């Protein structure tokens, strides 16, 4: 199957032109005329996962491998190291990042993974009414995402309205219209800002809130690939973080 | 005592012109001719801490209250909300940020708090030889900083050479010349980058690695203030983050 | 009465989104949820006028207090000195600048103050046919604005078509399609440029041509405020300039 | 005499490389190899003055004719209209602007025209101790410059230390370290700013404070030109401004 | 006849607002109110051609004389040297560059000069089906343009689809959708790029492919000028290049 | 032999930090720790030349393969197509561009290839006194470079002083202080500019004037490589241009 045929299907599913200006979604490695024999789906790439893939295949990731354009390819950075393996194994790479965030991913995680009843959603932010004690709500969220350990900022005893952005959404704080915000990669100054504004935060983590990209896309692609006698193989780059308490690994 | 006198003493201690271009260290609120009656030291400001302070005093913080220049003062953001209290209580604010990082703080934390034997240090990064199992080294670091819970990326079983930057230092990864890097506010993509490069990470957190600013500065100011019949009062804005495991608070 | 209610009324009167990109009209100091007890109107702020105002009030000015965003608040500049008093007296500030220039002020001054019969007007420039000796026309303009003393550039004996921009309008010279241009703050190089182009200039001054903002806005607000049991108090920051002839004060 | 020879003499007198980045001093019209028969000096150019000049001459002005680079030459602006005459009469133009401000003009006006005893001077600003009533000092300044009519901002009864910049110097207000500032082209917002800072202003006007460029340069060139059997002809573009009081011309 | 009348006719023929942002088409020298007695047309200007023109005439060129805005007019560059003659002879200059490329010139050259059957054309690029041996096609093109000598890059034995841009069109290579591209001023790196992409190139030269501007415009203007009792005089700046083989001039 | 060792030798020969800001000289593909078995030298890369090279080798080119940083690697451009082969064959690439232009190449071509007696040279431009008829001088230059066919602009019958820049040097025209300029890739507007300035041009072509990079570098490396038991293999990407006259190939 030609790479460009899958690309066009994906583009109809979630148009690449919806991506943000700073993003780099689309066909990052490989040529539209390449013949594809296998399709892999993963939130990201790492060396291990690439080793396990067959040559002449296509991998679809959520995060673009290349963000800063490359002036040199020295195999000593995340991008250039993995680019080398992709090219040597002739594996093509398509990334679906902010386009699928907007069209599917945020809402999928909010509804299917966290079980929230959405009342509205804009480009990135999903909203749900909650009206529950903060502690029990936070515990429920942690359980849904499989987080043993939870980091949060608690401004109010009760959560009334919650906002959600998967991945790292703190740059959207000015637009959040809720008393509790769920997102990942929350930094210290973000937390100070939210606390001053009276907005509670629950860190749903970047990897753990976005790894659902793979089953989501697999479901969306299944029928189409079957017709073309291909199968999407869900795989997963590893979460680079480990967590321990007093020396005991908890995650 | 005139505000400008203390300012000049601080400027000799750690020249403000050493700050980075994007930084905003210096006299942020108040006038050089103000008369100061009391001096507070804190890593940051929050509402609670400002309420506890006396009028007509000076507070010295590590982080500048104002980063993005203000076009409006609507009391609905971290900066403008606290600016209001500062002005209404006539409290002056001096921030010592990247200047003191360079002249004192990074090395102070490395040596006095973490007990590392420094072999070299450039503008921000301190280096020490370690040669120890990663797990026991990480446990020791956590204990020194009082971290119950630890987040890390482990690339090698043994740590040989360690690099340290307090606060949020991942933007310096290109300059790190060590197999293990200690810094705070580590995001998911930072972790992926470091893992690909084979550099282990231990997240020493932003607040927890920089709150030592207060005793450090207190020690540096003590004698000078005594001569001027003033006393530095160490106080501390609260860590906005809480941590729990399966609903049980751990920190 | 809530600040946001007045703000919305003003926004319907003269939408803030009409302002120029470099402008800073809108709610500059204060929070939309503030309760307002009194409303003042003035072309600008100065220390004297702020001293005379009651706490917890709102002042509406023509010129924004803050133009260059503030990185420091040292009470030693126009903006920061007056910002301090506003915050300490909890006085809110709304500025209506280029938005009201476009919707009302230029035409109000042309018609009501100068008595011109407008034939057309674009965003900022009002036009009138005149056909009168330059000297008598200039004298009439001076009398209407209460200017004892007049500065001008005379290119033609007779004025045929006049253009008007209140405040400082010389940057619009390229668009002026008339033989005489009335505006304020005319600088020497502006005068040389106009003279070469054969366009006469009459300096109607910045303050004197725009102080009419206060009665204009008072008229527009009167009914609305009455319904809300408030009253707009017209006040006026002082013209900073004095004029004398051979030591004798003329204005 | 070759144009380049005079240029080199001027360049030694007041090096053109001292000019500000935004300035355009130097040889603006004409070729270094041109043969020059006559030299004129004027603060600026206008049509009348150019008509009176001989062909194949050189005119030296204070202000550069061209500030905004020309993409079109349509004879309908100050620059392009006068450029046409210069080229048609083959008159060369050299401008000495911020270079001579720094090396000679500001100090010349302060000392020779205003009779001030300078205590210091930086790049543009000259300082003198005064200690005199504001009114009598202002009257004296007006008389020295031949100003019938005077515009000023008075913050203090007495002038202690005065700062001076010829031309339009209000953009230097942040550097002024005096209680009274003399400069030209003072706009309304400049006046508000100075008043808030407590700095009195006396508007010494742009043309009137800089027309002394001509006799200054004539003195500096005299001997050199005599040796080359040339003579500098002082001429003067007209002040474009007229002033009247209640219809009566005062200047 | 007034210059502005001809300008408006040209503007209807090929609207100047169609020009690219970096272009400088329009009335470059002269005033809209000028009275025109003669009209010349040429691809460009040079000293010889200007000498041959009558005073008070208009010349219409393809390339704008001024590209980089002029800060100085020293008669030592292409622009300033010829500008001097234009102004001294009071000759006005209108340039029609990327506007007429888009509306007429590219298609005119493709059809009338090269005899191609166009199948489509976008803003700049014209396309034709060819299906011919590269060598015979290239020889035919050379003959049509009067090129003795030909420079080319040959990637395929047969030309199937050809793209054409007159002047220097290699910056459009990313948009070219053909196996052979005809344009001028092809540089070495352009050739390397095209060769890697498998696109053949035939260098139709800048001057030789655009000198057809003159007869094209003459045809378009003829009737209009006749009505106004004027005549367009086709003239031609010289091709600056000469070509020789082993010392023998070939062009 | 480690790649970094050869890199350091090259860096001492011609420091990479001498390169222009827009340039991209240095190690473009490959890792400093790579083991190198063979060294190739070529002015550029093309598919044919890469096919002929052994795996695990190093190629040193004059022109950087990557100029515009890569956001995508789609094998459809010069850079990305050849990058694929380099990576798949594990061939490292070092480019020495403006650094070696400055330290060696321009002077080498001027003296060794063209036989000129240099009187001076700045960063890029070499100068020689000539004093010869233009035609015979041009013929001699063509012969030295092996150019059958020559393109030139002739402004004077005699060449007195000649300036030379290999490659494409027309952007340096403002600095050229000679009556004849030798460089490559001369475009039509460049020729018009030079003609107006009275500077003759001889187009020594980009490829033909810079292919001497290979023997130059081979000579500089020979001894060093011998010591390391390696040999530099001079190879050459093909000149993409062909030339014919009336259908007959001349080059």
């Amino acid at each position: 199957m030609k790479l460009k045929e899958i690309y066009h299907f994906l583009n109809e599913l979630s148009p690449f032109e919806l991506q943000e200006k700073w993003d780099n979604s689309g066909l990052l490695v490989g040529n539209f005329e390449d013949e594809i024999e296998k399709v892999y789906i993963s939130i990201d790439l790492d060396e291990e996962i690439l080793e396990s893939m067959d040559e002449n295949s296509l991998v679809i990731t959520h995060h673009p491998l290349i963000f800063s354009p490359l002036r040199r390819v020295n195999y000593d950075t995340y991008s250039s190291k993995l680019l080398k393996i992709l090219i040597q194994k002739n594996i093509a790479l398509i990334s679906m990042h902010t386009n699928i965030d907007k069209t599917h991913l945020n809402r999928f995680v909010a509804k299917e993974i966290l079980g929230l009843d959405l009342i509205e959603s804009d480009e990135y932010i999903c909203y749900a009414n909650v009206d529950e004690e903060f502690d029990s709500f936070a515990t429920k969220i942690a359980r849904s995402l499989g987080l043993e350990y939870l980091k949060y900022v608690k401004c109010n005893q009760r959560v009334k309205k919650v906002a959600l952005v998967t991945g790292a959404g703190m740059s959207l704080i000015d637009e959040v219209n809720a008393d509790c915000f769920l997102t990942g990669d929350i930094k210290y100054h973000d937390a100070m800002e939210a606390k001053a504004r009276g907005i509670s935060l629950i860190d749903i983590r970047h990897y753990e809130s976005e790894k659902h990209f793979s089953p989501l896309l697999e479901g969306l692609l299944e029928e189409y690939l079957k017709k073309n006698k291909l199968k999407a193989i869900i795989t997963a780059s590893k979460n680079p973080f480990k967590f321990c308490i007093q020396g005991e690994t908890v995650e």
Side-chain angles (χ1 to χ4, degrees), chain A:
Chain A
M1 186 180 192
K2 285 262 190 209
L3 181 41
K4 69 179 165 193
E5 294 172 50
I6 305 181
Y7 180 89
H8 289 136
F9 181 80
L10 295 172
N11 193 41
E12 279 184 27
L13 203 65
S14 179
F16 289 107
E17 69 180 21
L18 292 178
Q19 70 181 290
E20 296 293 316
K21 248 199 333 233
W22 49 261
D23 192 11
N24 194 24
S25 292
L27 180 60
L28 298 193
V29 181
N31 189 278
F32 281 118
E33 303 302 325
D34 287 353
E35 203 62 39
I36 295 304
E37 295 163 15
K38 256 190 184 161
V39 178
Y40 297 91
I41 302 175
S42 172
I43 174 175
D44 261 307
L45 298 179
D46 58 22
E47 284 182 80
E48 229 172 288
I49 216 178
L50 279 176
E51 236 112 274
S52 75
M53 290 182 189
D54 288 347
E55 301 206 347
N56 308 316
S57 55
L58 162 70
V59 56
I60 307 172
T61 66
H62 183 43
H63 295 121
L65 180 68
I66 304 172
F67 260 120
S68 319
L70 300 169
R71 304 191 76 213
R72 284 148 195 255
V73 185
N74 296 152
Y75 316 143
D76 56 0
T77 60
Y78 177 66
S79 304
S80 64
K81 203 163 191 172
L82 300 184
L83 179 62
K84 186 185 186 179
I85 310 176
L86 284 168
I87 290 179
Q88 288 189 332
K89 298 185 74 168
N90 198 29
I91 299 172
L93 166 65
I94 290 175
S95 295
M96 305 182 77
H97 189 209
T98 51
N99 56 326
I100 204 166
D101 279 342
K102 290 180 184 176
T103 57
H104 295 82
L105 187 57
N106 282 333
R107 275 192 296 276
F108 177 79
V109 171
K111 288 200 287 197
E112 306 304 326
I113 308 298
L114 299 182
L116 296 171
D117 287 330
L118 297 192
I119 51 173
E120 58 170 304
S121 67
D122 63 19
E123 272 202 324
Y124 290 106
I125 313 178
C126 297
Y127 289 99
N129 286 328
V130 169
D131 200 18
E132 185 176 344
E133 287 299 297
F134 180 91
D135 291 353
S136 77
F137 177 69
T139 305
K140 218 152 57 184
I141 292 295
R143 206 170 297 135
S144 305
L145 290 166
L147 312 177
E148 282 295 302
Y149 155 93
L150 201 69
K151 186 167 102 176
Y152 59 90
V153 175
K154 181 175 169 182
C155 293
N156 310 285
Q157 279 305 329
R158 242 183 134 67
V159 176
K160 288 190 179 138
K161 186 177 171 191
V162 78
L164 173 135
V165 174
T166 58
M170 283 307 297
S171 63
L172 297 165
I173 186 73
D174 281 345
E175 297 171 32
V176 167
N177 178 20
D179 54 282
C180 182
F181 184 29
L182 276 53
T183 195
D185 272 344
I186 304 176
K187 299 178 77 171
Y188 166 70
H189 289 303
D190 298 333
M192 291 299 279
E193 185 68 49
K195 206 178 162 193
R197 296 180 183 207
I199 301 175
S200 298
L201 299 174
I202 298 176
D203 193 326
I204 57 173
R205 301 192 199 157
H206 201 139
Y207 177 91
E208 287 84 345
S209 67
E210 293 201 328
K211 67 180 182 186
H212 310 288
F213 165 79
S214 299
L216 164 64
L217 189 62
E218 202 265 346
L220 294 166
L221 272 178
E222 196 179 13
E223 200 181 349
Y224 171 78
L225 289 181
K226 205 188 289 175
K227 266 193 276 176
N228 288 279
K229 288 170 189 161
L230 284 175
K231 214 178 150 258
I233 299 152
I234 293 182
T235 174
S237 58
K238 282 224 182 100
N239 185 354
F241 288 121
K242 294 276 177 214
F243 304 84
C244 68
I245 283 218
Q246 298 180 352
E248 300 297 310
T249 303
V250 288
E251 285 186 57

